Amino acid sequence: QGSVDCPNLEFEYRDADGHGAELAELYSYTEEPELSHNRRCFEEDFHTQVPDRRWLELDRAQQKAYVMHLLDGLEVVNRDKRLRVARAILYLAQGVFGDCDNEGDVLHWSRHNSFLLYQLGTFSAFLELLNMEIENSQACSSALRKPAISLADSTELRVLLSVMYLMVENIRVEQETDPAEWKTCRETFRTELSFPVHAEEPFALLLFTMVTKFCSGHAPHFPMKKVLLLLWKVLLFTLGGFEALQAMKVRRREELGLPPLPEDSIQVVRGMRAASPPTYAIELVEQQQPQQQQKRGYRSRRPLMKQDSLDIYNERDPFKNDEGGVDEEENDDVDSGIEGELDLMERDTIIPAMPAQRLPIERVSFPKGLPWAPKVRQKDIEHFLEASRNKFIGFTLGQDTETLIGLPRPIHESVKTLKQHKYVSISDVQIKNEEELEKCPMSLGEEEVQETPCEVLYRAMLYNLPQYMIALLKILLAAAPTSKAKTDSINILADVLPEEMPITVLQSMKLGIDVNRHKEIIVKSISALLLLLLKHFKLNHIYQFEYVSQHLVFANCIPLILKFFNQNIMSYITAKNSISVLDYPHCTVCDLPELTAESLEAGDNNQFCWRNLFSCINLLRILNKLTKWKHSRTMMLVVFKSAPILKRALKVKQAMMQLYVLKLLKIQTKYLGRQWRKSNMKTMSAIYQKVRHRMNDDWAYGNDIDARPWDFQAEECTLRANIEAFNSRRYDKPQDSEFAPVDNCLQSVLGQRLELPEDFHYSYELWLEREVFSQPIRWEELLHCQ
């Protein structure tokens, strides 16, 4: 994998890539001819309306008048005419590149026109057209009948989604030079997308519905890449990015009266240095040593069965991670266990049989001092005191953490130190509040729920949330580079394949690069939007986060992410699946050089692919969120042999990616056995120096394995019961609730004014005859009812 030559990657993790790069990823290279088609549609109409003038020469009033003329054209019945007008509007949103001299001008006019289009109501008009196109049963049935779907099947949808994406992305991105009018416009647009008017659904929900419709097979022509990119950007715009999340977290802690955060995580990670991988010679020596130790020490180890209960378990463990034996580079069948187990929703229990792997160990060099402030949970202090009281006094005091009578002086000091580093999270407060609301629903009354964009989105997603998660993971599986082509898998290439398939080698190479790039962009958008959802729901309410994460786990998200990393990760991160001369906006203002096979193979000069490194970090963060403090899910990591897969990812010399890999290794080290820890001391050292310390967490020893209950199904069931109780209490509000007040006064019931339909008085006599006079009165039944 070239680990020795891998340089430090100068990568700054942020919400999204540069503005130009994000706009470029909207278009496939096969869509390039459509740029000139959009220009033609615009110019043919523009020159009839405003002869001998250019768009850039018009003043604001004239530009508004022309846009209003275009919006009138969207109202026509003729489908082809509507499409031509939509293409003209798309050309405006793309920055009228025919009048521009360089890329900067194109991006400037793209932003300018996007704000202008929004102010004149273009987004609402396109939303109506999008709803019509989604409901277009003729297009769906036509696509279902075709043996092969191509770009032509999604033309209208692609034009509509492109305009909406350009508007969302251009308005979302802030620049210092923006006028005050644009800032007001941005806030209005954010509110409009977050809080639906007239009890409609939020815009993001419409896009989620498109994703599920596509995955169910009812609409195979939907351009999924554009839908997912737009969905991600809408969530990023309405909910807020990582900096906004940090500010919200600080504000929420203040509101709850909690002490401020010890540090800003993203800032700490930015200051970290990446660990250096070892030289090739050291790798060879370290690969040979465990094999020699195993040959010499296998017999002598068997009588020492009392060393460690986990080692005894590992002796008989069919999934034992025996590090000696197979070199990672020679083993190509490494994903044979997880492959085939990812048919989502088909299996509940997943136990793959993966061959053992030997992975190189990293040599690390760190600056002095640990980067994180240590943390202690209330539960940790309680466990420590319980063990101490049992040992020195012989009885316990439950959850009492104040009484220290009878305990030795060093225990007093220990408790004092633990309390100094005690950290109470927002989640802890929310769980405690939820328990109290469940216990005393009458006395505590209704809970005040803030109407945030996140709350509105969760309420809208709630009842179909499992389908949304399954659909996203199905697409992620289809886009993963390790996925084998299956006949029954969904076709995510409908919006990249041209009508006429390539006939020359050069065209085939170009299409191959386009398809790979298309898949990478899909992985990027899904990983980013899932991470955003998890982080925002966790801040809004812990049980909203747990509901999403539990459905991700049930849909096999954990093995899917491990399968994704079970590849040559260095080659994925340095992949050159882009043709920079064909990227928007470069291709619109520059003369294209003649493409050759050599220039396509060379790719760009970048040290790494930004989107792929971004995707990898997002997926690692999602995996951390799903497994943190969940023993059942940690055991899934162990069962799936994740340690060698994750260790291979440490070869990427980027501090943030290494940190999240080390976190995932840390939570499972106690389950991997003493032999694994002995032969991976450099990884253990890296964990110690990079990952936050939990004061009395013996992750490096695994001494509490004997005491841990292994009934992990109960853990998930308890969590599920808590989530269901939360959802039903807050979101299911039936009229016949046992706590609802009952009006049993005859006068007030009969005196209530009822809204009757307008046509009721026409059929009133008929209704009386049928429902009252013709029905015999059974007095006995009335008496029985009372």
Side-chain angles (χ1 to χ4, degrees):
Q1 290 192 42
S3 62
V4 179
D5 301 326
C6 174
N8 280 313
L9 304 183
E10 298 298 324
F11 171 82
E12 186 185 337
Y13 184 78
R14 50 183 186 269
D15 292 324
D17 204 348
H19 186 52
E22 289 295 338
L23 296 187
E25 288 180 354
L26 179 64
Y27 312 102
S28 303
Y29 297 141
T30 43
E31 286 181 275
E32 188 199 340
E34 294 189 19
L35 290 168
S36 52
H37 189 182
N38 299 340
R39 180 180 175 180
R40 275 197 309 278
C41 290
F42 172 81
E43 288 180 348
E44 284 169 13
D45 184 77
F46 186 70
H47 291 315
T48 58
Q49 296 294 317
V50 192
D52 306 324
R53 298 287 296 278
R54 295 195 314 158
W55 174 260
L56 310 189
E57 295 168 358
L58 301 184
D59 61 29
R60 190 166 179 78
Q62 290 169 319
Q63 287 180 347
K64 279 186 175 181
Y66 181 68
V67 171
M68 292 305 288
H69 155 75
L70 286 178
L71 291 176
D72 287 342
L74 288 177
E75 304 290 329
V76 297
V77 177
N78 186 306
R79 190 178 171 82
D80 291 332
K81 285 183 181 174
R82 274 209 314 268
L83 180 59
R84 289 183 68 79
V85 173
R87 281 193 180 282
I89 293 174
L90 175 55
Y91 175 71
L92 281 176
Q94 286 171 338
V96 286
F97 48 80
D99 297 348
C100 297
D101 300 324
N102 56 54
E103 295 177 38
D105 285 351
V106 177
L107 293 175
H108 166 76
W109 281 103
S110 178
R111 288 194 82 222
H112 175 275
N113 294 344
S114 293
F115 277 98
L116 178 69
L117 289 168
Y118 171 68
Q119 286 165 342
L120 297 176
T122 311
F123 194 86
S124 307
F126 271 72
L127 184 55
E128 285 179 27
L129 291 174
L130 182 64
N131 274 308
M132 278 169 54
E133 233 10 89
I134 291 169
E135 299 302 324
N136 185 348
S137 55
Q138 188 183 346
C140 291
S141 56
S142 164
L144 285 167
R145 284 197 303 271
K146 284 192 175 183
I149 304 172
S150 67
L151 273 173
D153 295 290
S154 59
T155 305
E156 287 88 351
L157 276 168
R158 283 186 295 106
V159 170
L160 298 175
L161 289 166
S162 295
V163 171
M164 296 172 103
Y165 178 86
L166 287 166
M167 289 176 70
V168 168
E169 181 62 5
N170 280 318
I171 295 173
R172 179 188 74 83
V173 174
E174 295 182 43
Q175 291 182 4
E176 290 178 4
T177 53
D178 288 353
E181 183 189 5
W182 284 12
K183 289 175 183 172
T184 313
C185 201
R186 181 177 296 117
E187 290 310 311
T188 312
F189 192 25
R190 182 186 280 126
T191 308
E192 186 183 312
L193 290 174
S194 309
F195 302 104
V197 195
H198 310 307
E200 293 170 1
E201 58 193 17
F203 178 54
L205 199 75
L206 177 68
L207 299 173
F208 271 118
T209 312
M210 286 183 79
V211 174
T212 47
K213 203 171 177 184
F214 171 80
C215 283
S216 64
H218 296 309
H221 65 298
F222 281 2
M224 231 352 79
K225 184 187 84 173
K226 285 183 167 53
V227 173
L228 290 166
L229 278 172
L230 180 55
L231 176 54
W232 166 38
K233 290 304 169 62
V234 166
L235 292 178
L236 187 57
F237 186 31
T238 54
L239 303 182
F242 299 129
E243 286 185 10
L245 258 166
Q246 187 71 11
M248 285 157 68
K249 202 182 215 179
V250 169
R251 197 164 59 248
R252 186 66 61 84
R253 288 185 70 83
E254 278 178 18
E255 288 168 7
L256 294 172
L258 296 172
L261 291 164
E263 69 271 295
D264 182 341
S265 319
I266 292 177
Q267 295 303 324
V268 173
V269 175
R270 279 179 186 160
M272 279 188 178
R273 290 212 321 248
S276 304
T279 61
Y280 188 62
I282 294 173
E283 285 184 18
L284 284 178
V285 168
E286 288 181 344
Q287 282 174 10
Q288 290 162 4
Q289 279 176 351
Q291 295 177 23
Q292 292 163 1
Q293 287 168 1
Q294 193 181 18
K295 286 173 190 170
R296 287 198 303 269
Y298 186 74
R299 290 188 180 180
S300 62
R301 208 172 69 216
R302 288 191 72 113
L304 304 173
M305 293 291 275
K306 288 187 180 177
Q307 278 186 351
D308 184 359
S309 59
L310 188 60
D311 281 345
I312 301 169
Y313 168 74
N314 275 338
E315 287 292 337
R316 311 185 192 110
D317 183 12
F319 312 116
K320 183 182 174 189
N321 185 12
D322 193 348
E323 287 289 319
V326 185
D327 185 21
E328 60 167 30
E329 302 304 339
E330 294 169 8
N331 182 16
D332 293 328
D333 300 326
V334 82
D335 63 336
S336 59
I338 298 178
E339 186 72 51
E341 295 292 351
L342 283 164
D343 297 328
L344 301 168
M345 293 293 286
E346 287 183 16
R347 301 203 183 177
D348 295 326
T349 313
I350 309 169
I351 302 179
M354 290 171 58
Q357 295 175 321
R358 165 67 198 155
L359 290 163
I361 298 159
E362 293 66 30
R363 180 181 296 285
V364 287
S365 57
F366 288 92
K368 289 181 180 177
L370 299 173
W372 303 99
K375 282 183 181 176
V376 179
R377 295 182 301 167
Q378 175 71 14
K379 203 181 287 183
D380 298 331
I381 302 174
E382 288 168 11
H383 287 169
F384 175 74
L385 274 169
E386 191 175 353
S388 302
R389 286 173 184 141
N390 264 330
K391 182 177 178 183
F392 293 107
I393 307 172
F395 64 88
T396 60
L397 297 174
Q399 295 180 338
D400 184 348
T401 57
E402 301 302 320
T403 310
L404 303 175
I405 295 167
L407 295 174
R409 190 75 198 158
I411 300 293
H412 288 235
E413 294 296 323
S414 301
V415 172
K416 183 182 173 186
T417 308
L418 288 173
K419 284 184 177 177
Q420 278 174 349
H421 293 95
K422 181 176 152 186
Y423 176 77
V424 180
S425 67
I426 295 169
S427 304
D428 295 337
V429 176
Q430 289 169 342
I431 290 170
K432 196 173 176 185
N433 288 347
E434 199 57 34
E435 285 172 0
E436 288 174 4
L437 283 163
E438 281 293 320
K439 278 182 198 167
C440 321
M442 297 293 281
S443 57
L444 292 175
E446 281 285 312
E447 179 193 17
E448 279 189 33
V449 182
Q450 281 185 314
E451 197 73 351
T452 60
C454 191
E455 182 65 32
V456 172
L457 180 66
Y458 181 78
R459 199 165 53 231
M461 287 176 68
L462 180 60
Y463 296 106
N464 292 316
L465 197 137
Q467 288 92 307
Y468 300 146
M469 295 303 113
I470 290 163
L472 287 172
L473 292 184
K474 276 186 175 178
I475 300 170
L476 185 60
L477 175 62
T482 48
S483 287
K484 308 279 190 294
K486 288 183 183 174
T487 49
D488 60 337
S489 67
I490 49 176
N491 175 21
I492 54 167
L493 303 178
D495 52 330
V496 71
L497 296 176
E499 279 187 279
E500 297 174 4
M501 292 309 281
I503 46 174
T504 67
V505 174
L506 193 66
Q507 287 173 336
S508 298
M509 285 180 69
K510 182 181 162 187
L511 184 59
I513 289 171
D514 207 2
V515 165
N516 289 337
R517 174 177 178 267
H518 182 81
K519 287 182 173 181
E520 289 172 3
I521 294 167
I522 286 176
V523 171
K524 171 188 173 181
S525 51
I526 292 178
S527 66
L529 77 88
L530 280 177
L531 181 63
L532 267 181
L533 281 178
L534 287 171
K535 286 187 78 67
H536 275 282
F537 284 152
K538 188 171 185 185
L539 183 60
N540 200 49
H541 199 289
I542 183 64
Y543 284 138
Q544 294 178 351
F545 160 80
E546 294 291 8
Y547 188 53
V548 176
S549 55
Q550 196 164 61
H551 279 294
L552 285 172
V553 172
F554 291 164
N556 293 342
C557 185
I558 292 175
L560 171 52
I561 295 176
L562 292 175
K563 177 183 168 59
F564 180 89
F565 280 96
N566 201 8
Q567 58 170 314
N568 185 335
I569 208 73
M570 274 306 300
S571 68
Y572 183 71
I573 278 169
T574 55
K576 299 195 182 301
N577 290 316
S578 58
I579 308 166
S580 52
V581 291
L582 296 182
D583 280 341
Y584 168 91
H586 184 276
C587 65
T588 59
V589 288
C590 301
D591 295 328
L592 298 183
E594 190 178 347
L595 291 174
T596 62
E598 289 75 26
S599 66
L600 289 182
E601 280 179 351
D604 53 30
N605 298 321
N606 293 334
Q607 185 191 22
F608 56 88
C609 176
W610 197 96
R611 68 173 159 264
N612 289 358
L613 190 44
F614 178 71
S615 302
C616 287
I617 293 174
N618 287 340
L619 289 170
L620 286 168
R621 294 184 78 184
I622 291 166
L623 199 50
N624 266 293
K625 292 214 164 294
L626 296 182
T627 51
K628 189 176 182 182
W629 305 118
K630 305 281 190 307
H631 298 299
S632 54
R633 299 174 193 175
T634 305
M635 283 310 295
M636 285 179 81
L637 292 178
V638 179
V639 164
F640 285 123
K641 296 268 187 187
S642 66
I645 297 169
L646 292 168
K647 272 184 63 189
R648 191 183 311 148
L650 284 174
K651 287 190 172 182
V652 180
K653 286 178 70 175
Q654 205 284 322
M656 193 166 199
M657 183 161 165
Q658 287 183 345
L659 172 70
Y660 288 108
V661 170
L662 292 170
K663 280 186 171 190
L664 287 165
L665 286 169
K666 178 186 175 181
I667 59 174
Q668 55 178 316
T669 46
K670 63 169 72 173
Y671 303 109
L672 294 174
R674 183 174 292 179
Q675 187 57 42
W676 187 92
R677 296 197 289 271
K678 268 166 59 180
S679 55
N680 289 279
M681 282 313 293
K682 287 194 175 67
T683 305
M684 300 287 282
S685 174
I687 292 170
Y688 173 78
Q689 300 213 39
K690 276 199 163 188
V691 182
R692 187 192 301 279
H693 286 267
R694 297 276 169 179
M695 285 247 175
N696 42 2
D697 176 16
D698 59 347
W699 60 273
Y701 307 101
N703 289 333
D704 64 342
I705 295 295
D706 291 329
R708 190 176 302 294
W710 291 78
D711 184 8
F712 292 126
Q713 202 171 357
E715 189 181 37
E716 291 289 353
C717 288
T718 308
L719 180 60
R720 191 170 192 174
N722 290 338
I723 295 165
E724 283 175 358
F726 163 76
N727 282 336
S728 65
R729 182 189 62 75
R730 194 186 271 198
Y731 303 107
D732 295 345
K733 295 189 176 171
Q735 294 303 310
D736 55 347
S737 165
E738 58 182 304
F739 298 123
V742 178
D743 186 357
N744 50 16
C745 173
L746 188 66
Q747 280 183 318
S748 66
V749 171
L750 291 175
Q752 284 176 2
R753 291 187 64 82
L754 291 176
E755 290 294 328
L756 298 170
E758 289 180 15
D759 58 342
F760 183 73
H761 65 275
Y762 297 122
S763 55
Y764 178 59
E765 291 177 1
L766 184 68
W767 179 83
L768 272 176
E769 185 63 41
R770 190 178 66 236
E771 299 291 335
V772 181
F773 303 141
S774 64
Q775 296 289 336
I777 299 171
R778 300 184 181 86
W779 296 103
E780 296 83 1
E781 285 187 19
L782 280 173
L783 290 169
H784 287 315
C785 290
Q786 288 179 347

